[in-house]
Amino acid sequence: MIVRQTLSAGNAVVILALAAVMPAGGCGEPKNSPTPPRQTSAALKPPAARRKPAAAAPRLTKPTTVEAPAATSPESASRAEKSNVAAPAPVDERRVASHGIRQVQGDRFTLYTDLPPNEALDRLPDIFALAAPQWRRYFQLDESEPAGWRVRGCLMKDRQRFLDAGLLPGDLEFAHAFAQDDCIWWDELETDYYRRHLMLHEGTHAFVFHHFGDCGPAWYMEGLAELLGTHHLSDGVLTLGYFPVSAAEVPLWGRIKLVRDAVQAGNARSIAKIMSYQADAELETLVYAWCWALCAFLDGHPRYRDRFRQLPGELKNADFNRRFLTRMEDDWQWLHLEWQAFLANLDFGYDLARNAIEPRPTEPLMGASETVAIAADRGWQSSGIQVEAGERYQLTAKGRYQVAKKPKTWWCEPPGVTLRYYRDRPLGMLLAAIVPDDDNDVAAWRGTAIGAGAELAAEHSGTLYLRINDAPGELDDNAGSLQVRVCTADGGQ
């Protein structure tokens, strides 16, 4: 959900500590996750599903068994571990001031910092106050926040000052940021954006724990905090749950680059793998990136959004992961398929609605040929044609469609527009992908250039998908469609 509030003038297993040079927000209490889906390897491979005739979903496997949760609930374990860290002490204001730490008050947030007065810093309490009603709307709570809820935040350049002033518990260890109860701590990282990001990330943890009593397994807890911590602020308008349009908007954030680099290196993570992150794992920034990617995908996708946003009601249940899988069971096949497509095409400004893949029954090529209409303003689209391994297919395309409208309309045909390239191919060029109906992965979605026509050899059986080449965040100014004729290579004369 994208939510906005105006700033008036003048004014996921574990709660993780941050790690690495480009950290994600750290978190409050460590905890163990509910047991993830049973896996036989790093890839998700539960018992094989039976092969079906032409169907509205690809024939993929899905988790049909889930191990029972441990006898000791994750909630109990996390509270026991948390009790080993001293609760934040009441603030001795004179002692705090004597260590060069100043206070900035807001409606919901009291900031303590050893940094000198600065407009961007001193607006942090007001920005936090703008976030509070957005959190309430996102979690479907009453609009009015009870008057008693406040958060104490410590923005630190020199941690020792905060230890000496009694603002930072001596037994609390974290890399860059941490949340406990209604207190958050984070290090100064010298960019206005990332300073706010860490505050909102940790503020999300504080809000969720205060209102729900638990934050869930790591993938959900950290992914949700990353999702709602990623924001846009312009002219006093704060937007949470923002999908960045460019890297320049989110300096030091780096989540999209981390995921794309991992995918490019052949290290894409399955949903099951992300759900399995454990409390005692050595958590790196890449973990936060994967948790963000999964939650951003589920929250932004029109098919999964409503079910994802119902998950806060399950936070106190030890079998949170199993309940998530139950909600997604009927669509697990498509969820897995679309996750792979999302990773293959991930980019800034990704439009999840326009890149959602519509289920369509598939069957082998009927007759000598078939013609399929492909919309220019959508991502990958099923042709409805099931191709067979070892066969060769001839694809021929024609049509005229729009691929941009500013500063004037850009008309395009299937070979594409060579005045602009996206991922080393002409803008608007027809692409094709043969996606296996079981155990498909990211590589299947890289696509093959077709242009006005090409022969496509099927190395494996699967469904033929088609799209034009364009950035996944720039489909909204496209219009029109093209016609693609598909026939076997020896039967198209």
Side-chain angles (χ1 to χ4, degrees):
M1 176 187 296
I2 293 181
V3 282
R4 295 180 173 85
Q5 185 83 5
T6 302
L7 179 65
S8 60
N11 280 339
V13 182
V14 54
I15 300 183
L16 309 168
L18 293 177
V21 176
M22 292 196 309
C27 313
E29 51 179 349
K31 64 181 291 180
N32 298 318
S33 72
T35 307
R38 178 173 289 137
Q39 303 172 73
T40 56
S41 70
L44 184 65
K45 289 185 179 296
R50 291 174 294 178
R51 190 171 179 86
K52 303 176 184 177
R59 297 181 291 272
L60 302 181
T61 56
K62 64 180 178 181
T64 55
T65 59
V66 181
E67 295 180 17
T72 301
S73 74
E75 289 81 5
S76 299
S78 67
R79 291 183 185 120
E81 292 170 354
K82 183 179 175 181
S83 66
N84 295 327
V85 177
V91 177
D92 182 336
E93 299 293 354
R94 294 183 63 181
R95 180 183 175 189
V96 167
S98 72
H99 286 87
I101 298 173
R102 64 190 182 91
Q103 178 192 118
V104 184
Q105 284 278 5
D107 291 341
R108 295 287 173 192
F109 189 77
T110 301
L111 174 68
Y112 291 92
T113 184
D114 55 346
L115 294 163
N118 172 285
E119 181 181 0
L121 290 175
D122 294 350
R123 293 180 72 201
L124 291 175
D126 292 332
I127 293 169
F128 190 94
L130 296 182
Q134 298 188 43
W135 285 320
R136 294 194 68 79
R137 286 196 293 273
Y138 184 88
F139 292 105
Q140 302 176 46
L141 301 174
D142 292 339
E143 285 291 321
S144 58
E145 180 67 51
W149 186 64
R150 291 187 62 84
V151 171
R152 179 202 306 172
C154 296
L155 174 59
M156 306 173 293
K157 182 176 182 181
D158 180 358
R159 286 195 194 185
Q160 189 61 46
R161 286 189 180 187
F162 289 80
L163 285 166
D164 296 342
L167 287 171
L168 179 64
D171 53 354
L172 188 59
E173 297 182 2
F174 57 91
H176 291 284
F178 202 87
Q180 179 186 343
D181 297 326
D182 292 333
C183 294
I184 68 174
W185 298 265
W186 78 108
D187 292 328
E188 168 62 3
L189 294 173
E190 299 184 351
T191 75
D192 291 343
Y193 175 82
Y194 209 71
R195 186 188 299 123
R196 295 191 305 265
H197 176 87
L198 292 182
M199 178 186 73
L200 295 169
H201 178 115
E202 300 304 330
T204 300
H205 288 315
F207 182 93
V208 172
F209 191 83
H210 180 87
H211 291 85
F212 296 95
D214 203 89
C215 293
W219 73 267
Y220 180 78
M221 174 177 50
E222 295 305 337
L224 195 62
E226 277 295 296
L227 175 71
L228 297 179
T230 305
H231 67 281
H232 185 263
L233 180 66
S234 178
D235 297 327
V237 177
L238 176 68
T239 303
L240 302 186
Y242 179 72
F243 204 111
V245 174
S246 70
E249 288 186 312
V250 286
L252 281 185
W253 181 70
R255 306 301 182 254
I256 290 175
K257 183 179 186 304
L258 286 168
V259 172
R260 288 199 313 198
D261 287 351
V263 170
Q264 186 65 29
N267 295 320
R269 293 288 180 261
S270 68
I271 294 173
K273 176 63 177 178
I274 296 169
M275 289 175 64
S276 74
Y277 289 136
Q278 298 294 316
D280 56 355
E282 184 176 346
L283 296 156
E284 302 175 349
T285 309
L286 185 56
V287 170
Y288 292 94
W290 282 115
C291 293
W292 166 81
L294 179 55
C295 286
F297 171 73
L298 293 170
D299 188 76
H301 196 294
R303 187 174 296 114
Y304 314 119
R305 179 189 298 121
D306 289 346
R307 283 171 282 176
F308 178 75
R309 292 185 184 176
Q310 293 168 0
L311 290 178
E314 308 289 1
L315 281 169
K316 290 188 177 180
N317 293 309
D319 59 346
F320 180 97
N321 277 353
R322 178 160 52 188
R323 289 169 182 256
F324 165 75
L325 291 172
T326 298
R327 290 178 186 275
M328 298 295 178
E329 183 176 11
D330 290 343
D331 285 323
W332 185 262
Q333 296 174 334
W334 274 106
L335 178 61
H336 176 71
L337 180 144
E338 291 194 272
W339 171 246
Q340 303 298 328
F342 172 72
L343 295 183
N345 296 280
L346 179 60
D347 206 344
F348 286 95
Y350 195 101
D351 187 334
L352 278 150
R354 290 182 182 274
N355 284 281
I357 302 173
E358 294 299 324
R360 180 177 177 181
T362 61
E363 56 187 356
L365 192 64
M366 303 296 291
S369 67
E370 289 189 42
T371 299
V372 182
I374 298 299
D377 64 348
R378 304 285 302 183
W380 286 109
Q381 299 156 66
S382 172
S383 68
I385 297 172
Q386 186 78 13
V387 303
E388 300 298 329
E391 291 285 348
R392 292 177 298 114
Y393 296 85
Q394 182 67 41
L395 276 62
T396 307
K398 63 181 181 178
R400 191 166 183 259
Y401 43 94
Q402 175 182 303
V403 292
K405 60 182 179 182
K406 292 182 179 179
K408 63 179 182 179
T409 300
W410 282 31
W411 293 107
C412 182
E413 295 184 359
V417 177
T418 57
L419 291 175
R420 181 179 168 189
Y421 281 67
Y422 179 71
R423 293 193 175 181
D424 300 324
R425 290 168 173 162
L427 180 68
M429 171 181 271
L430 176 64
L431 305 178
I434 299 174
V435 180
D437 287 342
D438 41 37
D439 200 27
N440 70 82
D441 58 19
V442 172
W445 293 101
R446 289 173 182 159
T448 298
I450 300 298
E455 184 178 289
L456 193 62
E459 296 180 358
H460 48 254
S461 298
T463 299
L464 174 65
Y465 288 85
L466 300 162
R467 66 170 297 165
I468 68 163
N469 184 43
D470 202 350
E474 298 182 8
L475 297 173
D476 61 335
D477 62 353
N478 294 358
S481 63
L482 61 158
Q483 304 297 312
V484 183
R485 180 173 178 262
V486 183
C487 61
T488 56
D490 57 358
Q493 300 301 320

